[in-house]
Structures are given as structure tokens and as C-alpha cells.
Amino acid sequence: MSDSNNTTNYVQNIARTIRIFDTTLRDGEQGAYCTMYTSEKIEIAKQLEKINVDVIEAGFAVSSKENFETMQKVSRAVKKPYLCGLARGIKGDIDATYQAYKDYEKRMIHIFVPVSKAIAAKLKKSDDELVRMAAFSVNYAKKYFDTVEFTPEDAARADFEMLEKVCRAVLNEGVSIIDIADTVSCAYPNEFGKLIARTKDFARSINPDVIIGVHCHNDLGLALANSLSAIENGAEQVECTINGIGERAGNCALEQIIAWSIARPDFFTTNANPKEIYKASELVAKATGTRNDFAPVVGKAVFSHKAGIHQHGITNNKNSYEFLDAEKFGRKSELVVGPHSGYHGVMAKASELGFSITKEEAYEVIAQVSELVRKKIQKRFSDDDLIKILQNMRETGFEPV
Ligand code: MN
């Protein structure tokens, strides 16, 4: 752990309060299939306010009229969170962000300028020109925004020397947050953590109050791991999205970060209310038509138990096979019946559905379910399906042998 004890403000002890910067409405919407209507985004923003996220990035004002209007409308629909907007390091982008949020006091702006050769090449600018662009844009944005966040885009692939130059330039212009991005998802936790620690040490030597944020993508499945490594190494703000939606394989999922803070408050905490997460997840799933049933915390399957041994454990003691407490996240833990179920689970499930059955009757249910699967008639069994099986057994006067 290289978490610096010599830094000020936010680092009280090992467990720190991490700021949640939600970008569902900006990076999330940039994901394929994830375009949302303004009305849907306003509903999501209100739910994010109920989760109590620290920042909502509601759009990229200059990118479209719709994004601009969404930002304006979100700024009239919420009160508590900071509202952020994305901008390239150019005047027009900064002006548009200000115009969208000008009546909202807790406004902030998120400026990005590429620092890796791979991405900077598209702008056909030298390193010095990019440094000047970064400094100019932060300086200009400070006229309209007290809080300016700067992302050296693709920091994970940049030369540290270039990253340092850009950071120094924006720090000298009074930037509040430096956000280290694994834009293309190429870092692994250990090296990414080192980059965070090194950047933080450097940045704090210029401004001891600067906040280090982190922005990770999930192309190689490491968005959460890299974000946790960043937190371990001193990051104090995590950018994330509901359901992990976002460019390509998506961003770090907000619900996974919050789940970690609930499961391991000795590591870090947040100001978020986990009970409101599931509702946000459902709103995002509905607006985008995308969802992953096995996604941690919010997936349909993740608090369900189907196999006999697990059902037996759960009916005795929930803690046996369920580490996260479903209810803390506005979920319910469920027993699902299938061919792998055992009599403990089936008896408990039947009782939930209003049937008191014997062990032998439970075995008969499992036998019937297994036959339906074996004969390729049915493979999923809802509560209604089970009620039908149980009623049918009663009507046909099932007598255990
Ligand atoms: Mn991104």
C-alpha cells in the first residue's frame, strides 16, 4: 500500500469517504444501444440524487442540442449533487457547458485533453501545444466554474513525463480534480495503482488540496479492480455508471463500488444510499433496453439460490451462501426451483407460496421438474409454474410412497 500518510484533508485514516461521480448520463449513454430520451435521463438523475451520489455528469453540452437541453433540464430537476458537463479543451465547449448550467450553483466542468501519443495523434498537435491547450482551457473555465476537473485522456498509456507536464500546467491554473483515466482499459491493478500514487504525490506537491479521481473501462473485465487499486493508492473520487454501461464494454459499475464500501467499510466508505440503487438500475435497464442478469448487485439472478446444497444452507442461515445482504441493496433473496434443488429448498419455497408440504411431496416436485427438463418441455420455473404443480399434486391426491 502506497497510500500516502503525508497528504492532507481527505485521508483521515485508512478508511476514507470516496466521492461518487456518476457518468451514466454521459459516458454511459455513449455505449452502443444506450441512447436515452431526455425524459428518461431526468428520471434517472432524480434517482441518482436519491442514491446521494456526489456528482452527476449529465452530458456533453456541445455534442448535441438534446444533450444541452438535458443538462439544462436536469439542473432544474435536482438540488443536491454537483452537476458536471464534459468539454474538450476549447472555448466553445466550455461556453456551452456554462450556458447549460448557469443557473445551477453547484456546477462543475470536466475538461479532457489527450496525453497519449495514440490518441493525441488525431489532433495533430505537439506535446507543447497540448500542454498549452490544457492550461488555457482550465484558466478559461475558472471564470465560470469554481470546480474544474481535468482528465488527461488515456493517462494509462501516456509517458509519465508528458502526464506530469500537463498536470503541472492545469494545477498552476487552479484545477480542483485530476482524473486519471484508463480510457481504453489496458491497465492492470498493480501498475495502475502505482500510476495513481505517483500522480498524486506529484500533484499534491504543487497543490496539497487537489483531488485525484479515477475513470476506468471494462474491456478486460478490470474496471472495478483497477478502481479499487486506485482507491487503495489514494484516489478519492470514482467515476462510474449504473449497470456499468458505457463505451465498448462499459465503465466501472456504481453498484459494485458501493457494494465494496458496504461489504468492507474498513477499506472505504461513500455517502451513497444503497437501497436506492436497484430502482436506478431498473430505470437504466428500461431506458437502454440492456441488462445483464449476472451483474453483481443488480442482476436478476444474483440473490437467487437454485442448487440443493446452497438452498439447504440458505434456509438454515442466510449468511452461509450470501455474503452481500440483498435487503441492503433494495433486493430480496430468493429460492428458485430447478432439477438441482433439494427438499429443504422446495419445502421452504412451497411454504412461501402458501403450501405446507412433506419431504416426500418436495421430492415429487423435484421429480416432476426434472422430467419436464429431460423431455425438453420447460427449463425455467416461475412461482406460478410451481403453484400449478403443487395444486395439481393436491388435486390428483398425490400419495407419497
Ligand atoms: Mn470513458
Side-chain angles (χ1 to χ4, degrees):
M1 289 230 324
S2 57
D3 190 10
S4 15
N5 294 321
N6 56 347
T7 52
T8 51
N9 292 20
Y10 302 97
V11 190
Q12 287 101 19
N13 44 47
I14 296 169
R16 289 163 297 146
T17 302
I18 300 299
R19 291 153 192 254
I20 300 295
F21 178 115
D22 182 278
T23 184
T24 306
L25 305 181
R26 200 279 298 167
D27 207 329
E29 192 183 35
Q30 285 177 216
Y33 323 122
C34 293
T35 302
M36 295 173 260
Y37 294 133
T38 301
S39 54
E40 293 168 327
K41 288 190 269 188
I42 291 167
E43 280 314 297
I44 293 165
K46 287 186 191 162
Q47 189 59 27
L48 289 169
E49 184 175 39
K50 284 192 191 159
I51 294 175
N52 204 27
V53 302
D54 299 281
V55 183
I56 297 174
E57 185 167 56
F60 187 174
V62 88
S63 71
S64 71
K65 194 172 173 190
E66 186 280 328
N67 256 232
F68 181 87
E69 284 176 359
T70 295
M71 289 165 69
Q72 265 188 332
K73 286 181 182 166
V74 167
S75 78
R76 289 167 198 148
V78 301
K79 287 193 181 72
K80 272 193 303 182
Y82 273 86
L83 286 184
C84 190
L86 187 70
R88 291 168 297 178
I90 52 183
K91 227 174 154 184
D93 284 32
I94 296 161
D95 289 338
T97 313
Y98 170 66
Q99 286 304 322
Y101 285 157
K102 65 177 192 299
D103 300 325
Y104 195 79
E105 207 181 315
K106 290 172 84 175
R107 62 175 178 264
M108 61 188 263
I109 189 166
H110 176 189
I111 298 171
F112 70 102
V113 170
V115 291
S116 72
K117 292 212 168 16
I119 294 188
K122 74 179 174 189
L123 295 183
K124 296 191 174 64
K125 287 191 189 301
S126 68
D127 282 2
D128 284 347
E129 284 172 309
L130 292 170
V131 172
R132 279 201 295 276
M133 186 183 197
F136 163 80
S137 56
V138 171
N139 176 286
Y140 185 72
K142 288 292 282 185
K143 291 191 183 116
Y144 303 130
F145 297 90
D146 289 336
T147 307
V148 177
E149 167 168 320
F150 182 83
T151 293
E153 189 189 10
D154 204 15
R157 283 195 298 181
D159 293 334
F160 195 74
E161 203 188 321
M162 173 60 178
L163 181 60
E164 245 182 28
K165 265 193 210 167
V166 170
C167 288
R168 184 193 311 277
V170 294
L171 283 158
N172 285 338
E173 298 297 342
V175 79
S176 317
I177 302 155
I178 291 181
D179 170 53
I180 298 300
D182 185 13
T183 304
V184 297
S185 187
C186 64
Y188 63 89
N190 196 348
E191 67 173 358
F192 193 62
K194 283 181 189 155
L195 175 65
I196 295 289
R198 190 171 171 189
T199 309
K200 183 171 175 175
D201 282 349
F202 172 77
R204 289 262 164 119
S205 72
I206 298 172
N207 174 4
D209 293 325
V210 71
I211 292 167
I212 301 296
V214 62
H215 179 109
C216 293
H217 279 274
N218 207 33
D219 300 57
L220 291 167
L222 290 176
L224 173 69
N226 284 333
S227 301
L228 293 180
S229 179
I231 292 172
E232 188 182 14
N233 285 283
E236 294 138 324
Q237 172 183 286
V238 175
E239 302 202 357
C240 45
T241 63
I242 298 287
N243 296 351
I245 64 168
E247 294 268 11
R248 305 180 310 276
N251 289 72
C252 180
L254 175 145
E255 60 274 11
Q256 295 176 16
I257 289 289
I258 308 300
W260 265 93
S261 74
I262 301 290
R264 293 296 304 271
D266 56 323
F267 182 8
F268 67 94
T269 57
T270 74
N271 295 317
N273 175 2
K275 273 207 175 216
E276 298 290 343
I277 289 175
Y278 192 55
K279 197 170 167 208
S281 168
E282 291 198 301
L283 287 173
V284 171
K286 192 160 165 261
T288 61
T290 64
R291 91 176 310 151
N292 170 3
D293 288 346
F294 287 92
V297 186
V298 293
K300 208 167 133 193
V302 301
F303 293 108
S304 296
H305 308 278
K306 193 177 77 175
I309 294 165
H310 287 226
Q311 290 183 333
H312 186 194
I314 286 286
T315 51
N316 266 318
N317 169 18
K318 260 186 78 179
N319 195 241
S320 59
Y321 285 102
E322 208 171 271
F323 177 57
L324 282 185
D325 181 355
E327 278 164 29
K328 279 193 181 151
F329 298 93
R331 304 290 311 270
K332 243 179 67 195
S333 115
E334 264 187 308
L335 295 169
V336 171
V337 170
H340 314 88
S341 298
Y343 74 89
H344 289 286
V346 174
M347 285 172 80
K349 183 74 193 185
S351 145
E352 260 176 51
L353 298 173
F355 292 80
S356 161
I357 63 170
T358 62
K359 184 171 161 181
E360 288 73 20
E361 285 173 313
Y363 276 126
E364 172 61 15
V365 171
I366 299 165
Q368 288 194 22
V369 161
S370 297
E371 270 308 277
L372 289 165
V373 175
R374 196 176 68 83
K375 291 180 176 157
K376 285 176 78 173
I377 295 169
Q378 191 176 346
K379 56 189 170 185
R380 288 192 185 192
F381 301 89
S382 68
D383 287 1
D384 284 347
D385 294 331
L386 280 175
I387 289 170
K388 264 185 218 148
I389 291 173
L390 289 162
Q391 274 172 347
N392 197 267
M393 278 169 56
R394 285 282 143 91
E395 279 160 22
T396 55
F398 167 77
E399 288 291 339
V401 282

